[in-house]
Amino acid sequence: MAKKIYAKQPKIKFHAVSCVAHNKLCKTQDVDGYPTIKLFKEGSYIPEEHENFSSLTEETIFEKLGFDNEGKQLLTGKVHSVRVPPPSKRKEQQIKPKSKEQTTMKNIRGESHHKLKIEPKPIETKPDKIARVVPFHTHEASDAWHDAATSFEFSLKYNMYMANGPMPKKEQDAFLDWLELLQDTLPPQMNRTLELIKHLLDNFSTATSGLPYLTKLVKAKFPPVKEEMWRTCTYEDNDNGYTCGLWQLFHVMSVGLVEHNKHATAPIPTRYVAETLRNYIENFFQCDVCRMNFLSQYDSCAFDGCHRLHNDPSSSEEDWRELPLWLWETHNDVNARLMGERLERDNQDKPSEWELQQSRWPSLYQCPNCWREDHSWDQDEVFKLLNSAYWSGNPIHIKVQSTDRILESADDDYPSRGAPRRWKIAGAIFSLMLVACAVKSKYAFIFKSKRREKSV
């Protein structure tokens, strides 16, 4: 439709907005489903009213924006556009200007003059200092499960359909594989999500018939919560929760594969799981930049994924662990890249080697045993932490210092793990000295006792 309208009237411009990247804007514009088209006349930040997406035609759009039915004649004399405005402008549009009588006053001679408009002096506030490296929040496995479940339901509501009508065959296959994989790999504690997945699989033809059918199918048995609230890595902004919760879902699934294969008669190949994840992201992750970066990494065999992940089923737990470890490395690379982009955007210096290390999870202070002396990972320790954080349910309560305090107390750019180890060695030496002193005192006492016996 956009191409046809633009061909007839190039002055009408269309702009696409991702509600994943611009969640606040979509909430302000009351976008509750996809696709949604908002029509705005030039200079207006209030959309033109129309019934629904299905009722929109070329003629309707031309009429709403002030053109004739063919889009050849501009009836109002102004250029119009189809755009999504900044949310701050909506309230400004609703403020009525004062009448001329209200904006003028009489001077002592009876002459009318305009009243001076006194602009309030803006209050000078110092911008909040954002740490160059934002520390990871503490959480328990139950928090990860909650956020994973919340993002799963959020994706059903907003990300499964980007056009009217039934889901295309390619997307149906990706959706079906994804649901079946989650059914096999999610922990039993995520019982609501597992029941919802089973409900979707039992009614898959209905779920893929169109967004209205999927929405009705989900709401009939699983009434939605009033508002999606995420617990982890939102940094006090709930709008950041969806993408983070989606990564939590990926990690829970990847660790769950290892647990599933331990008890399955037919283990699931790691390459199949990775391909299923890739296809889900390609078809249903609506953050364009996020999607393209992930696909580029996966398709280029980043982190040696082409050799670490296998098409054939394996009976080795070490082979199964390669999937969660590969996904963990991929996510860490995303964290480091995003930090570098943020610092560059804020005109700050490039991250140091120490800062890049701290942007990866777990940091040196969160899991000292996960890091070797040469700053490489101990993957056995890392997997133990992944299992604890996303599957076993053990709490991950680690107090992390603010990055600024860590950097101020560091003697060099990259602190080593030697300091804690030196304390351990010193403690061991001190313990040996105490034992030696005790033994020496015992023998001295025996020797003195024998001398007294002889003297008697």
Side-chain angles (χ1 to χ4, degrees), residues 117-130:
K117 184 179 181 182
I118 302 175
E119 296 289 346
K121 186 177 180 181
I123 300 175
E124 296 182 0
T125 57
K126 295 182 179 180
D128 295 334
K129 184 179 180 181
I130 301 177

PDB file of all heavy atoms in Angstrom, residues 117-130:
ATOM      1  N   LYS A 117       5.459  37.857  27.075  1.00  0.00           N
ATOM      2  CA  LYS A 117       5.448  36.470  27.523  1.00  0.00           C
ATOM      3  C   LYS A 117       6.753  36.179  28.247  1.00  0.00           C
ATOM      4  O   LYS A 117       7.830  36.247  27.667  1.00  0.00           O
ATOM      5  CB  LYS A 117       5.285  35.525  26.329  1.00  0.00           C
ATOM      6  CG  LYS A 117       5.176  34.067  26.732  1.00  0.00           C
ATOM      7  CD  LYS A 117       4.982  33.200  25.514  1.00  0.00           C
ATOM      8  CE  LYS A 117       4.855  31.734  25.932  1.00  0.00           C
ATOM      9  NZ  LYS A 117       4.708  30.851  24.762  1.00  0.00           N
ATOM     10  N   ILE A 118       6.652  35.883  29.517  1.00  0.00           N
ATOM     11  CA  ILE A 118       7.839  35.628  30.323  1.00  0.00           C
ATOM     12  C   ILE A 118       8.064  34.129  30.394  1.00  0.00           C
ATOM     13  O   ILE A 118       7.239  33.398  30.941  1.00  0.00           O
ATOM     14  CB  ILE A 118       7.687  36.216  31.743  1.00  0.00           C
ATOM     15  CG1 ILE A 118       7.421  37.717  31.643  1.00  0.00           C
ATOM     16  CG2 ILE A 118       8.915  35.923  32.590  1.00  0.00           C
ATOM     17  CD1 ILE A 118       7.149  38.369  32.969  1.00  0.00           C
ATOM     18  N   GLU A 119       9.146  33.702  29.795  1.00  0.00           N
ATOM     19  CA  GLU A 119       9.464  32.278  29.822  1.00  0.00           C
ATOM     20  C   GLU A 119      10.075  31.919  31.169  1.00  0.00           C
ATOM     21  O   GLU A 119      10.962  32.617  31.660  1.00  0.00           O
ATOM     22  CB  GLU A 119      10.475  31.930  28.711  1.00  0.00           C
ATOM     23  CG  GLU A 119       9.947  32.150  27.303  1.00  0.00           C
ATOM     24  CD  GLU A 119       8.911  31.115  26.949  1.00  0.00           C
ATOM     25  OE1 GLU A 119       8.813  30.111  27.668  1.00  0.00           O
ATOM     26  OE2 GLU A 119       8.199  31.322  25.954  1.00  0.00           O
ATOM     27  N   PRO A 120       9.614  30.856  31.796  1.00  0.00           N
ATOM     28  CA  PRO A 120      10.223  30.447  33.064  1.00  0.00           C
ATOM     29  C   PRO A 120      11.674  30.037  32.852  1.00  0.00           C
ATOM     30  O   PRO A 120      12.012  29.373  31.877  1.00  0.00           O
ATOM     31  CB  PRO A 120       9.372  29.246  33.496  1.00  0.00           C
ATOM     32  CG  PRO A 120       8.768  28.742  32.235  1.00  0.00           C
ATOM     33  CD  PRO A 120       8.569  29.942  31.356  1.00  0.00           C
ATOM     34  N   LYS A 121      12.512  30.465  33.762  1.00  0.00           N
ATOM     35  CA  LYS A 121      13.927  30.145  33.667  1.00  0.00           C
ATOM     36  C   LYS A 121      14.130  28.665  33.962  1.00  0.00           C
ATOM     37  O   LYS A 121      13.690  28.171  34.994  1.00  0.00           O
ATOM     38  CB  LYS A 121      14.731  30.990  34.662  1.00  0.00           C
ATOM     39  CG  LYS A 121      16.227  30.816  34.509  1.00  0.00           C
ATOM     40  CD  LYS A 121      16.963  31.738  35.472  1.00  0.00           C
ATOM     41  CE  LYS A 121      18.472  31.567  35.310  1.00  0.00           C
ATOM     42  NZ  LYS A 121      19.228  32.438  36.240  1.00  0.00           N
ATOM     43  N   PRO A 122      14.763  27.971  33.053  1.00  0.00           N
ATOM     44  CA  PRO A 122      14.948  26.540  33.292  1.00  0.00           C
ATOM     45  C   PRO A 122      15.850  26.291  34.500  1.00  0.00           C
ATOM     46  O   PRO A 122      16.798  27.028  34.756  1.00  0.00           O
ATOM     47  CB  PRO A 122      15.610  26.049  32.003  1.00  0.00           C
ATOM     48  CG  PRO A 122      16.259  27.262  31.413  1.00  0.00           C
ATOM     49  CD  PRO A 122      15.378  28.413  31.804  1.00  0.00           C
ATOM     50  N   ILE A 123      15.498  25.274  35.232  1.00  0.00           N
ATOM     51  CA  ILE A 123      16.287  24.904  36.402  1.00  0.00           C
ATOM     52  C   ILE A 123      17.497  24.121  35.945  1.00  0.00           C
ATOM     53  O   ILE A 123      17.379  23.127  35.230  1.00  0.00           O
ATOM     54  CB  ILE A 123      15.442  24.057  37.378  1.00  0.00           C
ATOM     55  CG1 ILE A 123      14.220  24.867  37.825  1.00  0.00           C
ATOM     56  CG2 ILE A 123      16.274  23.624  38.583  1.00  0.00           C
ATOM     57  CD1 ILE A 123      13.268  24.074  38.695  1.00  0.00           C
ATOM     58  N   GLU A 124      18.651  24.579  36.346  1.00  0.00           N
ATOM     59  CA  GLU A 124      19.876  23.904  35.953  1.00  0.00           C
ATOM     60  C   GLU A 124      20.074  22.672  36.822  1.00  0.00           C
ATOM     61  O   GLU A 124      20.116  22.746  38.037  1.00  0.00           O
ATOM     62  CB  GLU A 124      21.081  24.840  36.102  1.00  0.00           C
ATOM     63  CG  GLU A 124      21.003  26.052  35.156  1.00  0.00           C
ATOM     64  CD  GLU A 124      22.237  26.925  35.286  1.00  0.00           C
ATOM     65  OE1 GLU A 124      23.123  26.577  36.097  1.00  0.00           O
ATOM     66  OE2 GLU A 124      22.317  27.929  34.575  1.00  0.00           O
ATOM     67  N   THR A 125      20.157  21.557  36.169  1.00  0.00           N
ATOM     68  CA  THR A 125      20.379  20.311  36.890  1.00  0.00           C
ATOM     69  C   THR A 125      21.603  19.625  36.319  1.00  0.00           C
ATOM     70  O   THR A 125      21.835  19.640  35.105  1.00  0.00           O
ATOM     71  CB  THR A 125      19.169  19.359  36.744  1.00  0.00           C
ATOM     72  OG1 THR A 125      18.928  19.130  35.354  1.00  0.00           O
ATOM     73  CG2 THR A 125      17.928  19.967  37.372  1.00  0.00           C
ATOM     74  N   LYS A 126      22.352  19.025  37.185  1.00  0.00           N
ATOM     75  CA  LYS A 126      23.522  18.298  36.749  1.00  0.00           C
ATOM     76  C   LYS A 126      23.103  16.923  36.252  1.00  0.00           C
ATOM     77  O   LYS A 126      22.326  16.235  36.897  1.00  0.00           O
ATOM     78  CB  LYS A 126      24.519  18.154  37.905  1.00  0.00           C
ATOM     79  CG  LYS A 126      25.091  19.489  38.367  1.00  0.00           C
ATOM     80  CD  LYS A 126      26.108  19.267  39.477  1.00  0.00           C
ATOM     81  CE  LYS A 126      26.705  20.588  39.928  1.00  0.00           C
ATOM     82  NZ  LYS A 126      27.698  20.395  41.010  1.00  0.00           N
ATOM     83  N   PRO A 127      23.569  16.542  35.086  1.00  0.00           N
ATOM     84  CA  PRO A 127      23.187  15.221  34.571  1.00  0.00           C
ATOM     85  C   PRO A 127      23.714  14.121  35.468  1.00  0.00           C
ATOM     86  O   PRO A 127      24.788  14.218  36.057  1.00  0.00           O
ATOM     87  CB  PRO A 127      23.854  15.181  33.190  1.00  0.00           C
ATOM     88  CG  PRO A 127      24.984  16.154  33.279  1.00  0.00           C
ATOM     89  CD  PRO A 127      24.525  17.233  34.219  1.00  0.00           C
ATOM     90  N   ASP A 128      22.911  13.065  35.583  1.00  0.00           N
ATOM     91  CA  ASP A 128      23.339  11.932  36.385  1.00  0.00           C
ATOM     92  C   ASP A 128      24.574  11.297  35.764  1.00  0.00           C
ATOM     93  O   ASP A 128      24.653  11.118  34.550  1.00  0.00           O
ATOM     94  CB  ASP A 128      22.219  10.887  36.478  1.00  0.00           C
ATOM     95  CG  ASP A 128      21.023  11.433  37.218  1.00  0.00           C
ATOM     96  OD1 ASP A 128      21.224  12.342  38.045  1.00  0.00           O
ATOM     97  OD2 ASP A 128      19.906  10.945  36.969  1.00  0.00           O
ATOM     98  N   LYS A 129      25.517  10.964  36.618  1.00  0.00           N
ATOM     99  CA  LYS A 129      26.738  10.328  36.147  1.00  0.00           C
ATOM    100  C   LYS A 129      26.480   8.842  35.966  1.00  0.00           C
ATOM    101  O   LYS A 129      26.130   8.145  36.898  1.00  0.00           O
ATOM    102  CB  LYS A 129      27.879  10.555  37.152  1.00  0.00           C
ATOM    103  CG  LYS A 129      29.208   9.995  36.679  1.00  0.00           C
ATOM    104  CD  LYS A 129      30.293  10.272  37.688  1.00  0.00           C
ATOM    105  CE  LYS A 129      31.630   9.699  37.220  1.00  0.00           C
ATOM    106  NZ  LYS A 129      32.700   9.936  38.220  1.00  0.00           N
ATOM    107  N   ILE A 130      26.630   8.389  34.742  1.00  0.00           N
ATOM    108  CA  ILE A 130      26.421   6.987  34.430  1.00  0.00           C
ATOM    109  C   ILE A 130      27.771   6.299  34.398  1.00  0.00           C
ATOM    110  O   ILE A 130      28.700   6.764  33.738  1.00  0.00           O
ATOM    111  CB  ILE A 130      25.710   6.821  33.077  1.00  0.00           C
ATOM    112  CG1 ILE A 130      24.362   7.539  33.099  1.00  0.00           C
ATOM    113  CG2 ILE A 130      25.525   5.350  32.733  1.00  0.00           C
ATOM    114  CD1 ILE A 130      23.627   7.500  31.795  1.00  0.00           C
TER     115      ILE A 130
END
